[in-house]
């Protein structure tokens, strides 16, 4: 990203490379990635924090597992922005030029991969939950509840943290001038399988089954009976398809470039691969900041929750929002009490009729 030497401390004789091969690749973007990541961080972190607060209110208000899964996705995106964008791209690359202790460099690399895997795999339970809700609604009522959703989220985060440990030995793509080793190949293929091929396969299969089920249901049932429920299911499905589709599109270039870097030409040797890798990383990190706009575009309850947060209107259970649902029973009970007390007051204050009045003795 920045104009600094890409060579390692090893000499040309140890690497077996020619002098022209040791000349580092040029970063043609200059400081553009630094500006891009700074803007993305300044916009993405506040937006994701706002999303997390709004989703937590919806989760507390509705007790639906859907919002807990979306909250896990948002939290993982915040971790990715802090570890990958702030620590990895800005601090290490732009500020310190990776001139940090090697142990710290590898430790941060493992944390970056763990946050990256958590951000991606938090979407998988969401997709499975929507598939069960739309294709097996009776089963969904039995197995989908907040307590189980929280356990699933904790399991995904724990597995993501464990999956980042092997990437402690991930080689520095930007500075390594040596040919890739068998360990590099194993780590690269493990990485692209975890972040792209496996989750995208799950998304493709489950989304295809969801679309197929909705089409069959629309054909079998009358349109008038299907309008109300189908509209709600359609919005939820559209949000899920948007999240998974945006992820598949934004992460595809990085997956292709990193495989090309492994087998064809390295970032160190070819400035075009360097440029492609920079652009691919910029697109991939954009995925951590776009979900807020997808939620606002699709979900009306989410827009209402965001508006409450921005305008500082109440807590998770805002009494003003609960008023329309409880207004009729409360008014009925109040009016009944008022009418009862009024009748007792009228009875006590009304003079006795002549028939009931006693004659003076």
């Amino acid at each position: 990203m920045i104009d600094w030497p890409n060579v390692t401390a090893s000499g040309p004789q140890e690497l077996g490379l020619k002098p022209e091969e040791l000349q580092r690749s040029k970063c043609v973007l200059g400081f553009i990635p630094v500006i891009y990541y700074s803007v993305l961080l300044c916009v993405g972190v506040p937006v994701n924090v706002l999303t997390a607060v709004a989703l937590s209110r919806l989760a507390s208000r509705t007790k639906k597992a859907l919002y807990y899964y979306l909250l896990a996705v948002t939290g993982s995106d915040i971790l990715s922005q802090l570890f990958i964008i702030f620590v990895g791209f800005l601090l290490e690359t732009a500020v310190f030029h990776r001139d940090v202790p090697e142990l710290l460099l590898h430790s941060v690399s493992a944390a970056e991969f763990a946050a990256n895997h958590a951000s991606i795999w938090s979407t998988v339970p969401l997709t499975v939950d929507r598939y069960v809700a739309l294709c097996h609604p009776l089963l969904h009522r039995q197995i989908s509840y907040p307590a189980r959703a929280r356990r699933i989220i904790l399991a995904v985060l724990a597995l993501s943290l464990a999956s980042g440990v092997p990437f402690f030995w991930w080689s520095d793509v930007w500075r390594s001038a040596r040919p890739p080793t068998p360990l590099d190949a194993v780590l690269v293929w493990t990485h692209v399988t975890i972040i792209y091929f496996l989750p995208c396969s799950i998304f493709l299969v489950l989304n295809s089954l969801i679309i197929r089920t909705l089409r069959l249901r629309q054909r079998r049932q009358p349109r008038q009976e299907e309008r109300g429920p189908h509209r709600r299911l359609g919005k939820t499905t559209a949000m899920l398809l948007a999240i998974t589709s945006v992820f598949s599109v934004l992460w595809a270039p990085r997956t292709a470039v990193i495989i090309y870097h492994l087998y064809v030409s390295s970032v160190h040797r070819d400035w075009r691969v360097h440029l492609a890798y920079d652009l691919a990383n910029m697109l991939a990190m954009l995925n951590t900041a776009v979900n807020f706009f997808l939620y606002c575009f699709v979900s009306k309850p989410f827009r209402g929750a965001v508006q409450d947060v921005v305008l500082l209107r109440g807590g998770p259970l805002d009494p003003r929002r609960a008023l329309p649902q409880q207004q009729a029973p409360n008014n009925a009970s109040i009016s009944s009490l008022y009418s009862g007390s009024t009748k007792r007051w009228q009875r006590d204050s009304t003079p006795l009729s002549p028939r009931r009045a006693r004659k003076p003795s």
Side-chain angles (χ1 to χ4, degrees), residues 247-262:
F247 161 76
S248 301
V249 171
L250 294 181
W251 276 89
R254 186 182 184 277
T255 305
V257 170
I258 199 170
I259 295 176
Y260 185 88
H261 163 79
L262 177 64

Side-chain angles (χ1 to χ4, degrees), residues 126-162:
L126 171 65
T127 308
V128 175
D129 180 80
R130 290 298 88 198
Y131 163 74
V132 177
L134 297 177
C135 300
H136 307 281
L138 297 179
L139 179 62
H140 183 263
R141 294 178 182 177
Q142 299 176 0
I143 67 174
S144 181
Y145 48 89
R148 173 168 289 181
R150 288 192 292 266
R151 290 197 296 267
I152 293 175
I153 292 169
L154 290 177
V156 170
L157 294 178
L159 292 175
S160 300
L161 180 62

Side-chain angles (χ1 to χ4, degrees), residues 1-64:
M1 291 166 44
I2 313 300
D3 193 17
W4 65 81
N6 254 347
V7 296
T8 59
S10 302
Q13 293 81 8
E14 297 178 3
L15 297 173
L17 299 176
K18 298 178 181 179
E20 60 269 19
E21 292 178 335
L22 283 173
Q23 187 177 1
R24 62 175 175 78
S25 59
K26 298 293 183 180
C27 181
V28 297
L29 292 179
F31 280 90
I32 293 179
V34 179
I35 299 174
Y36 172 82
Y37 288 124
S38 300
V39 173
L40 185 62
L41 190 68
C42 294
V43 174
V45 172
V47 161
N48 279 327
V49 171
L50 177 60
T51 304
V53 176
L55 289 175
S56 63
R57 290 193 175 193
L58 289 174
S60 301
R61 187 179 302 161
T62 62
K63 304 298 180 183
K64 291 184 178 180

Side-chain angles (χ1 to χ4, degrees), residues 49-350:
V49 171
L50 177 60
T51 304
V53 176
L55 289 175
S56 63
R57 290 193 175 193
L58 289 174
S60 301
R61 187 179 302 161
T62 62
K63 304 298 180 183
K64 291 184 178 180
L66 168 66
Y67 295 115
Y68 287 92
Y69 291 127
L70 294 176
L71 188 59
V73 174
T74 304
S76 301
D77 287 340
I78 294 176
L79 292 178
S80 297
Q81 290 174 339
L82 293 179
F83 281 107
I84 300 177
I85 298 178
F86 179 67
V87 178
F89 286 115
L90 294 180
L91 285 184
E92 288 186 352
T93 304
V95 177
F96 297 109
H97 292 188
R98 296 191 180 271
D99 188 17
V100 295
E102 186 176 358
L103 178 61
L104 178 60
L105 183 65
H106 288 286
S107 300
V108 172
S109 177
E112 291 174 1
F113 280 97
N116 190 7
H117 297 168
S119 177
I120 294 169
W121 278 88
S122 297
T123 314
V124 175
L126 171 65
T127 308
V128 175
D129 180 80
R130 290 298 88 198
Y131 163 74
V132 177
L134 297 177
C135 300
H136 307 281
L138 297 179
L139 179 62
H140 183 263
R141 294 178 182 177
Q142 299 176 0
I143 67 174
S144 181
Y145 48 89
R148 173 168 289 181
R150 288 192 292 266
R151 290 197 296 267
I152 293 175
I153 292 169
L154 290 177
V156 170
L157 294 178
L159 292 175
S160 300
L161 180 62
S163 67
V165 174
F167 295 93
F168 178 87
W169 294 272
W170 180 269
S171 62
D172 193 349
V173 173
W174 304 102
R175 298 179 64 182
S176 179
R178 59 173 174 77
T181 63
L183 178 60
D184 294 334
V186 171
L187 291 177
V188 166
W189 279 106
T190 302
H191 175 58
V192 297
T193 301
I194 291 176
I195 67 159
Y196 195 77
F197 292 123
L198 188 55
C200 283
S201 299
I202 297 175
F203 297 153
L204 179 62
V205 172
L206 295 183
N207 289 339
S208 300
L209 293 175
I210 290 173
I211 295 175
R212 178 176 176 272
T213 301
L214 291 179
R215 287 181 177 178
L216 291 177
R217 188 179 300 172
Q218 187 177 9
R219 292 175 183 176
R220 291 176 181 176
Q221 297 182 2
R223 293 185 177 180
Q224 295 180 353
E225 298 178 0
E226 193 69 9
R227 283 179 184 176
H230 179 72
R231 196 169 297 156
R232 291 193 294 271
L233 295 179
K235 289 184 177 180
T236 305
T237 306
M239 182 172 62
L240 175 63
L241 294 178
I243 295 173
T244 55
S245 300
V246 169
F247 161 76
S248 301
V249 171
L250 294 181
W251 276 89
R254 186 182 184 277
T255 305
V257 170
I258 199 170
I259 295 176
Y260 185 88
H261 163 79
L262 177 64
Y263 289 105
V264 181
S265 181
S266 67
V267 171
H268 172 81
R269 297 182 184 180
D270 194 341
W271 68 269
R272 291 167 295 187
V273 181
H274 196 156
L275 174 62
Y277 201 69
D278 275 338
L279 295 176
N281 283 329
M282 292 165 67
L283 284 177
M285 289 299 101
L286 181 62
N287 186 67
T288 62
V290 298
N291 287 339
F292 169 81
F293 304 99
L294 296 178
Y295 301 159
C296 288
F297 181 74
V298 175
S299 177
K300 184 177 180 180
F302 179 78
R303 292 196 298 269
V306 170
Q307 187 177 7
D308 289 343
V309 174
V310 173
L311 299 179
L312 302 177
R313 292 195 301 206
L317 295 176
D318 192 348
R320 283 174 292 181
R321 283 196 171 273
L323 183 60
Q325 299 177 357
Q326 301 176 356
Q327 188 173 5
N330 291 339
N331 289 343
S333 59
I334 293 173
S335 61
S336 62
L337 292 174
Y338 177 77
S339 60
S341 61
T342 303
K343 290 180 180 179
R344 286 193 298 270
W345 178 80
Q346 290 177 351
R347 183 183 60 192
D348 295 338
S349 60
T350 303

